[in-house]
């Protein structure tokens, strides 16, 4: 936890400096287009296999062989994706210095990251989250340092951004190499080599046929999910000037901090938890008493998680919409204040709660859904474009996953264990948030905060307005803890045994 916190804070500080050094055009290409290239390679190569292996109760030989599939898939996926992007990128993008070399470096970085996949899946199966946190923490730190150092060298040598794309590509390459090296130090190279399992002293299949089919289904479904999730980058890559892409990238980089630091680890942990707890329920193994106990445990965990997210989402919306303009005066570089970045970040205040709910619900769905359920979800999903369109898209997914979870408990004869009403914040919390919203609005009017505007600096009235918000925020958190937080229970799954 200490390493993760340090790496996040350290990289945040360096990222602040990088944004001020890197040219907006290069930052837009790296943060929008190159990141889309990287995420496409990784998503198509590993997402389906990752979700499938989370359902395995033990990591036997057949399961370990499945972990090698992302490595094998990664080479053709990386080659085709990188060539397609280089071939059809816009002329303004192709004119950037070291463009083709940078694409090759990003593809190589993706392959290095995929080579660590067998060890990552083994660590997740053994609930050895410390190894994953250490690998990702060191990877992010090395990525940020390499990118920052190359950008500094370029700026001091008078390159005027000539090495900017190389800087970002080199940082990503450092990330992949560091993650792979950390996993190799923990597990060695044995996990790379498939082994034929023996069943009753007879050689069995290299891959479990049922899990193999499920992984292909999840991979095809993940293709739809990927393009829905990355729809904003696709649209920006083809229809927006590089300068605007840079502004949007800066805004999304700040907006997604909470998603990367908080929601992603919670979703991954929840996915593993539900997969282990409900493994016997989904495969019809175990007695009715055992299955009901597992369903009760899963229901308590799900409702508790969503209850926490609901309370904090209300607080975020009330305080975020009121005080974000003042925070942006500190966070955003001056050249980005006149771009669309402030408007995009304002949209993220509404996007983050939807993102939180969707992550928890889809963690449950991917843990217990059958291939038929996943295909049905794909038909529910619609188009997505930018942030507000993503909110609508995720809302549709939340509606589907909520309906699916209700029907799942009903099919198991345990509908009474799932109480959605417990997700709604307590009356005292709602009242406190409503009063805070009125007081914040009154404070802004009485202190003439709206009239002065954040662009005129932090006047005495602005500072007083922020101080009132801080006190109200503390009151909201204390109220939530008094009436809800301390009663919430998040049970833990037992650590599985490996073969």
């Amino acid at each position: 936890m200490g390493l993760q916190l340090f790496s996040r804070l350290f990289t945040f500080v360096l990222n602040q400096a990088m944004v001020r050094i890197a040219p907006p055009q290069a930052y837009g290409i790296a943060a929008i287009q190159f990141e889309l290239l990287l995420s496409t390679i990784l998503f198509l190569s590993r997402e389906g296999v990752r979700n499938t292996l989370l359902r395995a109760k033990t990591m036997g030989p057949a399961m370990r062989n499945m972990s090698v599939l992302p490595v094998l898939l990664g080479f053709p996926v990386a080659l085709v994706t990188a060539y397609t992007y280089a071939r059809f990128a816009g002329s303004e993008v192709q004119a950037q210095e070291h463009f083709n070399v940078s694409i090759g470096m990003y593809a190589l970085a993706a392959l290095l990251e995929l080579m660590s996949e067998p060890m990552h899946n083994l660590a997740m199966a053994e609930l050895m989250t410390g190894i994953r946190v250490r690998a990702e923490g060191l990877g992010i730190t090395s990525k940020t340092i390499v990118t920052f150092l190359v950008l500094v060298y370029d700026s001091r040598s008078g390159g005027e951004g000539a090495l900017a794309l190389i800087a970002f590509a080199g940082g990503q390459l450092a990330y992949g190499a560091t993650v792979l090296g950390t996993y190799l130090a923990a597990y060695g190279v044995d996990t790379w080599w498939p082994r034929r399992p023996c069943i009753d002293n007879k050689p069995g299949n290299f891959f479990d046929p049922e899990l193999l089919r499920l992984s292909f289904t999840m991979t095809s479904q993940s293709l739809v999910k990927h393009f829905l999730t990355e729809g904003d980058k696709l649209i920006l890559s083809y229809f927006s000037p590089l300068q605007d892409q840079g502004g949007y990238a800066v805004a999304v980089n700040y907006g997604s901090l909470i998603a990367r630091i908080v929601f992603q680890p919670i979703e991954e942990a929840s996915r593993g938890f539900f997969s282990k707890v409900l493994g016997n329920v989904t495969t019809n193994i175990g007695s009715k008493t055992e299955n009901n106990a597992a369903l009760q445990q899963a229901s308590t965990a799900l409702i508790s998680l969503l209850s926490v997210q609901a309370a904090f989402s209300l607080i975020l919306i009330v305080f975020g919409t009121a005080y974000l303009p003042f925070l942006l005066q500190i966070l955003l570089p001056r050249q980005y204040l006149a771009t669309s970045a402030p408007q995009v970040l304002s949209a993220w205040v509404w996007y983050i709660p939807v993102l939180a709910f969707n992550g928890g619900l889809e963690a449950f769905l991917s843990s217990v859904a059958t291939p038929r359920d996943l295909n049905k979800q794909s038909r529910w999903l619609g188009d997505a474009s930018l942030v507000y369109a993503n909110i609508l898209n995720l809302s549709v997914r939340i509606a589907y996953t909520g309906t699916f979870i209700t029907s799942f408990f009903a099919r198991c004869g345990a509908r009474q264990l799932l109480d959605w009403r417990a997700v709604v914040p307590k009356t005292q919390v709602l009242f406190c948030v409503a009063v805070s919203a009125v007081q914040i609005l009154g404070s802004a009017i009485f202190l003439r905060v709206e009239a002065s505007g954040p662009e005129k600096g932090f006047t005495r009235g602005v500072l007083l307005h922020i101080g009132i918000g801080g006190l109200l925020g503390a009151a909201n958190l204390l109220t939530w803890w008094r009436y809800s937080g301390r009663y919430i229970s998040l049970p833990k799954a037992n650590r599985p045994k490996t073969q």
Side-chain angles (χ1 to χ4, degrees):
M1 178 64 73
L3 174 63
Q4 189 177 28
L5 179 61
F6 170 78
S7 65
R8 298 295 184 185
L9 292 175
F10 179 72
T11 54
F12 177 76
V13 173
L14 286 187
N15 276 323
Q16 286 287 304
M18 281 194 302
V19 169
R20 288 161 171 77
I21 297 175
Q25 294 87 346
Y27 190 81
I29 293 175
I32 299 294
Q33 301 192 26
F34 283 177
E35 283 296 320
L36 177 60
L37 170 69
L38 178 72
S39 64
T40 299
I41 296 172
L42 295 177
F43 209 92
L44 297 181
S45 301
R46 73 186 184 189
E47 191 71 10
V49 176
R50 271 191 177 186
N51 292 337
T52 299
L53 289 179
L54 284 174
R55 301 189 177 199
K57 296 181 176 57
T58 59
M59 282 294 287
M63 300 301 102
R64 296 195 182 194
N65 292 343
M66 288 281 293
S67 294
V68 183
L69 282 179
V71 182
L72 302 177
L73 289 172
F75 283 91
V77 170
L79 181 63
V80 172
T81 306
Y83 173 78
T84 303
Y85 169 65
R87 174 69 176 80
F88 294 101
S91 56
E92 185 183 6
V93 177
Q94 294 185 15
Q96 300 294 313
E97 294 191 61
H98 308 296
F99 173 69
N100 290 323
V101 174
S102 300
I103 292 177
M105 293 173 68
Y106 262 89
L108 179 58
L111 292 177
L112 288 176
E113 192 171 345
L114 287 173
M115 290 176 70
S116 68
E117 198 64 15
M119 293 161 278
H120 169 88
N121 289 324
L122 183 58
M124 294 300 292
E126 296 175 346
L127 298 182
M128 300 294 291
T129 55
I131 297 176
R132 178 185 65 83
V133 170
R134 183 165 64 251
E136 294 180 357
L138 292 174
I140 292 173
T141 302
S142 63
K143 171 184 176 179
T144 308
I145 292 175
V146 170
T147 306
F148 177 74
L149 291 178
V150 176
L151 286 174
V152 170
Y153 171 79
D154 183 47
S155 64
R156 291 188 175 181
S157 62
E160 298 182 353
L163 297 178
L165 293 185
I166 292 291
F168 289 106
Q172 192 60 49
L173 202 57
Y175 175 85
T178 303
V179 169
L180 177 59
T182 305
Y183 276 119
L184 284 175
Y187 288 106
V189 298
D190 289 343
T191 54
W192 278 343
W193 314 115
R195 292 182 176 85
R196 184 182 292 275
C198 291
I199 303 175
D200 297 330
N201 295 324
K202 295 181 180 180
N205 296 322
F206 271 103
F207 306 106
D208 184 293
E210 182 179 350
L211 290 180
L212 190 61
R213 285 194 297 270
L214 182 59
S215 69
F216 282 128
T217 300
M218 285 190 163
T219 299
S220 61
Q221 192 254 351
S222 69
L223 178 64
V224 178
K225 179 181 177 181
H226 173 67
F227 285 109
L228 291 175
T229 304
E230 303 290 353
D232 54 347
K233 293 180 181 177
L234 283 169
I235 292 176
L236 287 168
S237 297
Y238 284 97
F239 296 105
S240 294
L242 291 181
Q243 189 83 14
D244 292 342
Q245 292 183 38
Y248 183 85
V250 168
V252 171
N253 182 53
Y254 286 122
S256 61
L257 274 176
I258 296 179
R260 295 197 304 268
I261 296 175
V262 180
F263 298 150
Q264 184 178 358
I266 290 176
E267 182 176 352
E268 290 179 355
S270 300
R271 194 179 299 165
F273 171 81
F274 291 131
S275 297
K276 303 306 177 187
V277 170
L278 298 175
N280 289 341
V281 178
T282 56
T283 54
N284 295 320
I285 301 175
S287 64
K288 184 176 181 180
T289 301
E290 293 174 340
N291 289 344
N292 280 338
L295 289 167
Q296 178 67 69
Q297 191 180 16
S299 172
T300 301
L302 179 64
I303 296 301
S304 297
L305 174 63
L306 296 179
S307 175
V308 173
Q309 292 173 339
F312 277 83
S313 294
L314 281 175
I315 295 173
L316 172 67
I317 290 174
V318 169
F319 289 87
T321 53
Y323 291 100
L324 181 64
F326 306 104
L327 181 62
L328 294 183
Q329 303 301 307
I330 302 173
L331 292 180
L332 282 181
R334 184 174 299 275
Q335 64 267 30
Y336 289 100
L337 289 174
T339 69
S340 62
Q343 288 75 26
V344 175
L345 282 169
S346 298
W348 267 86
V349 173
W350 298 91
Y351 184 36
I352 286 173
V354 181
L355 201 63
F357 268 83
N358 180 73
L361 292 171
E362 288 213 358
F364 189 100
L365 172 73
S366 63
S367 301
V368 302
T370 64
R372 181 179 179 183
D373 296 323
L374 294 172
N375 289 330
K376 187 184 297 184
Q377 186 203 24
S378 296
R379 293 193 295 269
W380 268 57
L381 302 182
D383 259 342
S385 55
L386 302 177
V387 174
Y388 283 115
N390 273 331
I391 294 176
L392 178 61
N393 168 48
L394 290 180
S395 299
V396 173
R397 287 155 69 169
I398 288 174
Y400 175 79
T401 50
T403 303
F404 170 81
I405 292 170
T406 301
S407 63
F408 175 81
F409 276 86
R411 290 200 307 268
C412 296
R415 175 63 184 87
Q416 72 282 359
L417 298 178
L418 189 68
D419 185 10
W420 290 114
R421 293 172 298 178
V423 175
V424 180
K426 298 292 185 182
T427 304
Q428 295 88 342
V429 178
L430 293 174
F431 177 77
C432 190
V433 171
V435 170
S436 297
V438 174
Q439 289 180 331
I440 289 173
L441 179 61
S443 169
I445 296 174
F446 179 76
L447 297 173
R448 300 179 180 273
V449 170
E450 293 181 343
S452 61
E455 69 279 356
K456 295 185 179 180
F458 289 92
T459 63
R460 181 179 300 178
V462 169
L463 293 176
L464 182 59
H465 181 58
I466 294 174
I468 292 173
L471 293 175
L472 292 173
N476 276 267
L477 292 176
L478 289 174
T479 303
W480 170 78
W481 178 254
R482 170 66 178 81
Y483 293 100
S484 298
R486 60 177 178 166
Y487 302 113
I488 288 174
S489 173
L490 293 173
K492 298 180 179 179
N494 294 327
R495 179 171 299 198
K497 298 180 180 180
T498 57
Q499 292 182 352

